[in-house]
Amino acid sequence: MKPWIAVLLAACIPFAAVANEGGESKEGPPKVVYYSLNPPLVGNYGMDGGPRLHVYKADIALKVTGPEALAAVKHHEPLIRNQMVQLFNQQSLEALSSGESKEALRQEALKQTQQVLNDEEGKPVVEDLLFNNLIVQ
């Protein structure tokens, strides 16, 4: 290869890289992220005055789309955690004993999380709430 061709090609490579970084690149749809509340929530529930202490451990993930939504969830995580702790503390033993009641709790947790974020951010931000693990004793 002739030396002047190599120099010409080397000079063109940076311009090709800049052209690809321009507005022509398509990022595609926003990315879905499942953000886990760490550490898992642990606490007492069903404080009915009985002799036995009831304990829960909830590993919760929040489904969000896009970096702005993820940043909002991270920023308001202490408020979200507080809301979840209050919700779990209000539960009775019967409310956490069946699959249907756990699904109802999941739906209520999603609703309250969306309400908190709607109050703070002006939109619900969280699309879904999942119990990765829910242990009750």
Side-chain angles (χ1 to χ4, degrees), residues 50-71:
R52 187 155 183 247
L53 182 65
H54 303 288
V55 181
Y56 70 88
K57 177 182 176 188
D59 185 8
I60 298 173
L62 304 174
K63 179 183 175 186
V64 297
T65 301
E68 295 85 16
L70 180 60

Side-chain angles (χ1 to χ4, degrees), residues 1 7 9 12 18 29 35 46 48 58 65 70 73 75 91 95 102 113 119-120 133:
M1 176 171 8
V7 171
L9 287 175
C12 291
V18 170
Y35 179 73
D48 56 6
T65 301
L70 180 60
V73 166
H75 179 72
Q91 301 306 307
K102 288 179 183 177
T113 300
D119 292 347
E120 296 297 321
N133 197 5

Side-chain angles (χ1 to χ4, degrees), residues 84 87 91 103-113:
M84 293 300 99
L87 177 63
Q91 301 306 307
E103 175 60 20
L105 176 63
R106 187 189 73 79
Q107 291 292 334
E108 182 62 25
L110 172 62
K111 181 177 142 191
Q112 289 190 18
T113 300

Side-chain angles (χ1 to χ4, degrees), residues 7 45 53 67 77 116:
V7 171
Y45 73 97
L53 182 65
E77 183 176 352
V116 164

Side-chain angles (χ1 to χ4, degrees), residues 7-85:
V7 171
L8 182 60
L9 287 175
C12 291
I13 290 174
F15 295 112
V18 170
N20 286 337
E21 291 175 3
E24 298 176 7
S25 67
K26 297 185 181 178
E27 296 175 14
K31 187 175 181 181
V32 173
V33 176
Y34 293 92
Y35 179 73
S36 292
L37 298 180
N38 283 319
L41 300 175
V42 177
N44 300 326
Y45 73 97
M47 306 303 272
D48 56 6
R52 187 155 183 247
L53 182 65
H54 303 288
V55 181
Y56 70 88
K57 177 182 176 188
D59 185 8
I60 298 173
L62 304 174
K63 179 183 175 186
V64 297
T65 301
E68 295 85 16
L70 180 60
V73 166
K74 286 181 179 180
H75 179 72
H76 296 294
E77 183 176 352
L79 190 56
I80 294 168
R81 291 178 71 84
N82 180 62
Q83 193 68 31
M84 293 300 99
V85 167

